[in-house]
PDB file of all heavy atoms in Angstrom:
ATOM      1  N   LEU A 108     -13.683  23.414  -8.005  1.00  0.00           N
ATOM      2  CA  LEU A 108     -12.294  23.265  -7.564  1.00  0.00           C
ATOM      3  C   LEU A 108     -12.169  23.262  -6.038  1.00  0.00           C
ATOM      4  O   LEU A 108     -11.451  22.444  -5.462  1.00  0.00           O
ATOM      5  CB  LEU A 108     -11.440  24.411  -8.163  1.00  0.00           C
ATOM      6  CG  LEU A 108      -9.950  24.347  -7.830  1.00  0.00           C
ATOM      7  CD1 LEU A 108      -9.341  23.052  -8.341  1.00  0.00           C
ATOM      8  CD2 LEU A 108      -9.223  25.544  -8.459  1.00  0.00           C
ATOM      9  N   TRP A 109     -12.848  24.196  -5.375  1.00  0.00           N
ATOM     10  CA  TRP A 109     -12.699  24.302  -3.924  1.00  0.00           C
ATOM     11  C   TRP A 109     -13.154  23.027  -3.212  1.00  0.00           C
ATOM     12  O   TRP A 109     -12.464  22.490  -2.359  1.00  0.00           O
ATOM     13  CB  TRP A 109     -13.486  25.496  -3.412  1.00  0.00           C
ATOM     14  CG  TRP A 109     -13.477  25.591  -1.896  1.00  0.00           C
ATOM     15  CD1 TRP A 109     -14.517  25.373  -1.067  1.00  0.00           C
ATOM     16  CD2 TRP A 109     -12.352  25.882  -1.074  1.00  0.00           C
ATOM     17  NE1 TRP A 109     -14.142  25.520   0.241  1.00  0.00           N
ATOM     18  CE2 TRP A 109     -12.784  25.848   0.267  1.00  0.00           C
ATOM     19  CE3 TRP A 109     -11.014  26.193  -1.349  1.00  0.00           C
ATOM     20  CZ2 TRP A 109     -11.951  26.090   1.336  1.00  0.00           C
ATOM     21  CZ3 TRP A 109     -10.179  26.435  -0.280  1.00  0.00           C
ATOM     22  CH2 TRP A 109     -10.639  26.376   1.047  1.00  0.00           C
ATOM     23  N   ARG A 110     -14.319  22.511  -3.596  1.00  0.00           N
ATOM     24  CA  ARG A 110     -14.822  21.286  -2.976  1.00  0.00           C
ATOM     25  C   ARG A 110     -13.881  20.119  -3.214  1.00  0.00           C
ATOM     26  O   ARG A 110     -13.598  19.320  -2.336  1.00  0.00           O
ATOM     27  CB  ARG A 110     -16.225  20.967  -3.526  1.00  0.00           C
ATOM     28  CG  ARG A 110     -16.874  19.740  -2.865  1.00  0.00           C
ATOM     29  CD  ARG A 110     -18.319  19.604  -3.308  1.00  0.00           C
ATOM     30  NE  ARG A 110     -18.411  19.369  -4.737  1.00  0.00           N
ATOM     31  CZ  ARG A 110     -18.321  18.152  -5.281  1.00  0.00           C
ATOM     32  NH1 ARG A 110     -18.118  17.101  -4.526  1.00  0.00           N
ATOM     33  NH2 ARG A 110     -18.447  18.005  -6.587  1.00  0.00           N
ATOM     34  N   SER A 111     -13.304  20.075  -4.418  1.00  0.00           N
ATOM     35  CA  SER A 111     -12.402  18.965  -4.744  1.00  0.00           C
ATOM     36  C   SER A 111     -11.098  19.059  -3.978  1.00  0.00           C
ATOM     37  O   SER A 111     -10.505  18.058  -3.602  1.00  0.00           O
ATOM     38  CB  SER A 111     -12.123  18.948  -6.244  1.00  0.00           C
ATOM     39  OG  SER A 111     -13.318  18.756  -6.963  1.00  0.00           O
ATOM     40  N   LEU A 112     -10.630  20.333  -3.762  1.00  0.00           N
ATOM     41  CA  LEU A 112      -9.397  20.485  -2.981  1.00  0.00           C
ATOM     42  C   LEU A 112      -9.592  20.016  -1.543  1.00  0.00           C
ATOM     43  O   LEU A 112      -8.691  19.431  -0.942  1.00  0.00           O
ATOM     44  CB  LEU A 112      -8.945  21.956  -2.992  1.00  0.00           C
ATOM     45  CG  LEU A 112      -8.294  22.436  -4.302  1.00  0.00           C
ATOM     46  CD1 LEU A 112      -8.096  23.936  -4.275  1.00  0.00           C
ATOM     47  CD2 LEU A 112      -6.962  21.728  -4.529  1.00  0.00           C
ATOM     48  N   VAL A 113     -10.800  20.286  -1.018  1.00  0.00           N
ATOM     49  CA  VAL A 113     -11.107  19.806   0.326  1.00  0.00           C
ATOM     50  C   VAL A 113     -11.084  18.288   0.375  1.00  0.00           C
ATOM     51  O   VAL A 113     -10.526  17.674   1.284  1.00  0.00           O
ATOM     52  CB  VAL A 113     -12.477  20.345   0.792  1.00  0.00           C
ATOM     53  CG1 VAL A 113     -12.901  19.683   2.109  1.00  0.00           C
ATOM     54  CG2 VAL A 113     -12.420  21.853   0.952  1.00  0.00           C
ATOM     55  N   LEU A 114     -11.677  17.645  -0.615  1.00  0.00           N
ATOM     56  CA  LEU A 114     -11.682  16.192  -0.669  1.00  0.00           C
ATOM     57  C   LEU A 114     -10.275  15.643  -0.821  1.00  0.00           C
ATOM     58  O   LEU A 114      -9.918  14.614  -0.226  1.00  0.00           O
ATOM     59  CB  LEU A 114     -12.558  15.707  -1.831  1.00  0.00           C
ATOM     60  CG  LEU A 114     -14.074  15.967  -1.688  1.00  0.00           C
ATOM     61  CD1 LEU A 114     -14.805  15.603  -2.967  1.00  0.00           C
ATOM     62  CD2 LEU A 114     -14.638  15.192  -0.515  1.00  0.00           C
ATOM     63  N   LEU A 115      -9.450  16.348  -1.627  1.00  0.00           N
ATOM     64  CA  LEU A 115      -8.066  15.926  -1.813  1.00  0.00           C
ATOM     65  C   LEU A 115      -7.304  16.000  -0.483  1.00  0.00           C
ATOM     66  O   LEU A 115      -6.522  15.103  -0.147  1.00  0.00           O
ATOM     67  CB  LEU A 115      -7.367  16.806  -2.863  1.00  0.00           C
ATOM     68  CG  LEU A 115      -5.876  16.519  -3.091  1.00  0.00           C
ATOM     69  CD1 LEU A 115      -5.679  15.099  -3.613  1.00  0.00           C
ATOM     70  CD2 LEU A 115      -5.290  17.538  -4.062  1.00  0.00           C
ATOM     71  N   PHE A 116      -7.555  17.064   0.273  1.00  0.00           N
ATOM     72  CA  PHE A 116      -6.898  17.211   1.574  1.00  0.00           C
ATOM     73  C   PHE A 116      -7.285  16.055   2.509  1.00  0.00           C
ATOM     74  O   PHE A 116      -6.445  15.488   3.204  1.00  0.00           O
ATOM     75  CB  PHE A 116      -7.294  18.549   2.207  1.00  0.00           C
ATOM     76  CG  PHE A 116      -6.820  18.702   3.622  1.00  0.00           C
ATOM     77  CD1 PHE A 116      -5.479  18.970   3.892  1.00  0.00           C
ATOM     78  CD2 PHE A 116      -7.699  18.554   4.688  1.00  0.00           C
ATOM     79  CE1 PHE A 116      -5.039  19.096   5.205  1.00  0.00           C
ATOM     80  CE2 PHE A 116      -7.262  18.675   5.982  1.00  0.00           C
ATOM     81  CZ  PHE A 116      -5.923  18.954   6.243  1.00  0.00           C
ATOM     82  N   CYS A 117      -8.572  15.706   2.470  1.00  0.00           N
ATOM     83  CA  CYS A 117      -9.034  14.599   3.323  1.00  0.00           C
ATOM     84  C   CYS A 117      -8.370  13.288   2.914  1.00  0.00           C
ATOM     85  O   CYS A 117      -8.003  12.470   3.758  1.00  0.00           O
ATOM     86  CB  CYS A 117     -10.555  14.463   3.232  1.00  0.00           C
ATOM     87  SG  CYS A 117     -11.435  15.871   3.980  1.00  0.00           S
ATOM     88  N   TRP A 118      -8.194  13.101   1.595  1.00  0.00           N
ATOM     89  CA  TRP A 118      -7.544  11.869   1.110  1.00  0.00           C
ATOM     90  C   TRP A 118      -6.093  11.819   1.571  1.00  0.00           C
ATOM     91  O   TRP A 118      -5.602  10.793   2.008  1.00  0.00           O
ATOM     92  CB  TRP A 118      -7.642  11.843  -0.417  1.00  0.00           C
ATOM     93  CG  TRP A 118      -6.942  10.640  -1.012  1.00  0.00           C
ATOM     94  CD1 TRP A 118      -7.406   9.379  -1.123  1.00  0.00           C
ATOM     95  CD2 TRP A 118      -5.628  10.646  -1.594  1.00  0.00           C
ATOM     96  NE1 TRP A 118      -6.496   8.564  -1.709  1.00  0.00           N
ATOM     97  CE2 TRP A 118      -5.369   9.315  -2.023  1.00  0.00           C
ATOM     98  CE3 TRP A 118      -4.659  11.625  -1.798  1.00  0.00           C
ATOM     99  CZ2 TRP A 118      -4.177   8.954  -2.642  1.00  0.00           C
ATOM    100  CZ3 TRP A 118      -3.487  11.263  -2.417  1.00  0.00           C
ATOM    101  CH2 TRP A 118      -3.240   9.945  -2.840  1.00  0.00           C
ATOM    102  N   LEU A 119      -5.416  13.005   1.452  1.00  0.00           N
ATOM    103  CA  LEU A 119      -4.020  13.062   1.888  1.00  0.00           C
ATOM    104  C   LEU A 119      -3.896  12.776   3.388  1.00  0.00           C
ATOM    105  O   LEU A 119      -2.980  12.085   3.836  1.00  0.00           O
ATOM    106  CB  LEU A 119      -3.427  14.444   1.567  1.00  0.00           C
ATOM    107  CG  LEU A 119      -3.165  14.728   0.088  1.00  0.00           C
ATOM    108  CD1 LEU A 119      -2.859  16.205  -0.110  1.00  0.00           C
ATOM    109  CD2 LEU A 119      -2.012  13.883  -0.428  1.00  0.00           C
ATOM    110  N   ARG A 120      -4.824  13.355   4.125  1.00  0.00           N
ATOM    111  CA  ARG A 120      -4.787  13.170   5.581  1.00  0.00           C
ATOM    112  C   ARG A 120      -4.971  11.696   5.940  1.00  0.00           C
ATOM    113  O   ARG A 120      -4.258  11.147   6.774  1.00  0.00           O
ATOM    114  CB  ARG A 120      -5.899  14.005   6.220  1.00  0.00           C
ATOM    115  CG  ARG A 120      -5.940  13.965   7.748  1.00  0.00           C
ATOM    116  CD  ARG A 120      -6.987  14.954   8.244  1.00  0.00           C
ATOM    117  NE  ARG A 120      -7.041  14.973   9.698  1.00  0.00           N
ATOM    118  CZ  ARG A 120      -7.804  14.180  10.433  1.00  0.00           C
ATOM    119  NH1 ARG A 120      -8.589  13.275   9.847  1.00  0.00           N
ATOM    120  NH2 ARG A 120      -7.798  14.259  11.762  1.00  0.00           N
TER     121      ARG A 120
END
Side-chain angles (χ1 to χ4, degrees):
L108 182 60
W109 175 250
R110 184 172 63 86
S111 299
L112 284 171
V113 172
L114 292 173
L115 176 62
F116 172 75
C117 292
W118 177 81
L119 288 168
R120 183 174 181 271

